Amino acid sequence: MAKGKKYIEATKLIDSTKSYDTEEAMKLVVDTATAKFDETIELHVKLGVDPRHADQQVRGVCVLPNGTGKTVKVLVIAKGDKADIAARAGADFVGAEDMIAKIQNENWFGFDVCVTTPDMMGLVGRLGKVLGPKGLMPNPKSGTVTMDIEKALKDIKAGKVEYRVDKTSICHVPIGKKSFGSEKLLENLNTVMDAIIKAKPAAAKGQYLRSVYVASTMGPGIKVNYKI
């Protein structure tokens, strides 16, 4: 794939043979985000786990102290009091069978996160084949299947992110926007890294953190020397 002029210029600021300390890496990732839009800054962590084994899965959530910089639209599937609470707490869409039908019949995905109560999972489960591939399926591990709808909404709107190891043993997590500046991005980075380190499976052997990189949406990867 051909690289643009701005990308090539950005790579000149980085020594690809070097691992940067966290503060320097955050300054560099901001300096190399040269697109005209406010680029997302992403964290990519290669872990020493084998995700094919259930006892080596790494998955969880954390709330970024400075948020994600993204306006998140939340769908809550609930009934009765829980639906009323969701509406008052700032859910963008609230419903039950009507919302499930809208997704099934209209192929509607106008939301970023779906939250539901445990009693609704029997109905929501029907959407697994369409929500699952898009990463929108509610899950207790990510805090999106819960009776505490108000807290779930508060955390999501405040900047909750999910980290989950993929098939290649890498966690990809957004940690903010270029406009945050290096200090706020560093705080967010440390929050996510602390969570990933604490989530180390007992079955994981050898070196847990294999590599840590940060990059902007359109910029080059920067290797981080992250010390536990």
Side-chain angles (χ1 to χ4, degrees), residues 31-47:
D31 290 343
T32 54
T34 55
K36 292 181 180 179
F37 62 93
D38 193 8
E39 294 183 55
T40 295
I41 308 302
E42 299 174 349
L43 170 67
H44 308 278
V45 186
K46 175 80 171 179
L47 299 175

Side-chain angles (χ1 to χ4, degrees), residues 97-174:
E97 287 88 352
D98 56 331
M99 284 298 180
I100 292 171
K102 186 177 177 70
I103 293 168
Q104 286 180 318
N105 302 331
E106 300 177 25
N107 204 32
W108 175 74
F109 301 102
F111 54 96
D112 303 299
V113 181
C114 180
V115 177
T116 188
T117 49
D119 59 296
M120 293 298 293
M121 275 304 290
L123 293 173
V124 177
R126 301 173 188 173
L127 301 173
K129 289 184 179 180
V130 292
L131 294 184
K134 294 180 179 294
L136 295 172
M137 188 66 184
N139 188 295
K141 291 183 179 178
S142 63
T144 49
V145 178
T146 177
M147 291 299 288
D148 196 343
I149 294 293
E150 187 172 8
K151 183 180 186 303
L153 278 165
K154 182 180 178 181
D155 287 348
I156 292 166
K157 294 289 187 178
K160 184 174 77 171
V161 293
E162 181 179 7
Y163 56 88
R164 183 179 185 181
V165 69
D166 66 11
K167 293 179 180 178
T168 62
S169 305
I170 300 175
C171 287
H172 308 275
V173 190

Side-chain angles (χ1 to χ4, degrees), residues 29 47 61 65 72 94 107 118 121 158 171 199-200 203:
V29 80
L47 299 175
V61 295
V72 182
V94 182
N107 204 32
M121 275 304 290
C171 287
K200 179 182 178 180

Side-chain angles (χ1 to χ4, degrees), residues 1-85:
M1 184 177 71
K3 301 296 184 182
K5 183 179 178 181
K6 286 185 177 180
Y7 181 92
I8 294 170
E9 289 298 315
T11 61
K12 294 178 181 178
L13 300 175
I14 300 166
D15 182 350
S16 61
T17 66
K18 179 181 176 181
S19 292
Y20 294 89
D21 64 39
T22 52
E23 290 186 8
E24 193 174 4
M26 288 300 98
K27 290 176 182 177
L28 273 173
V29 80
V30 170
D31 290 343
T32 54
T34 55
K36 292 181 180 179
F37 62 93
D38 193 8
E39 294 183 55
T40 295
I41 308 302
E42 299 174 349
L43 170 67
H44 308 278
V45 186
K46 175 80 171 179
L47 299 175
V49 298
D50 187 344
R52 294 174 298 179
H53 299 292
D55 61 355
Q56 293 190 48
Q57 291 293 317
V58 177
R59 181 177 187 178
V61 295
C62 59
V63 178
L64 301 180
N66 299 298
T68 63
K70 179 182 178 182
T71 300
V72 182
K73 291 186 177 180
V74 185
L75 163 65
V76 175
I77 297 178
K79 288 183 175 182
D81 292 345
K82 296 301 181 184
D84 294 338
I85 290 170

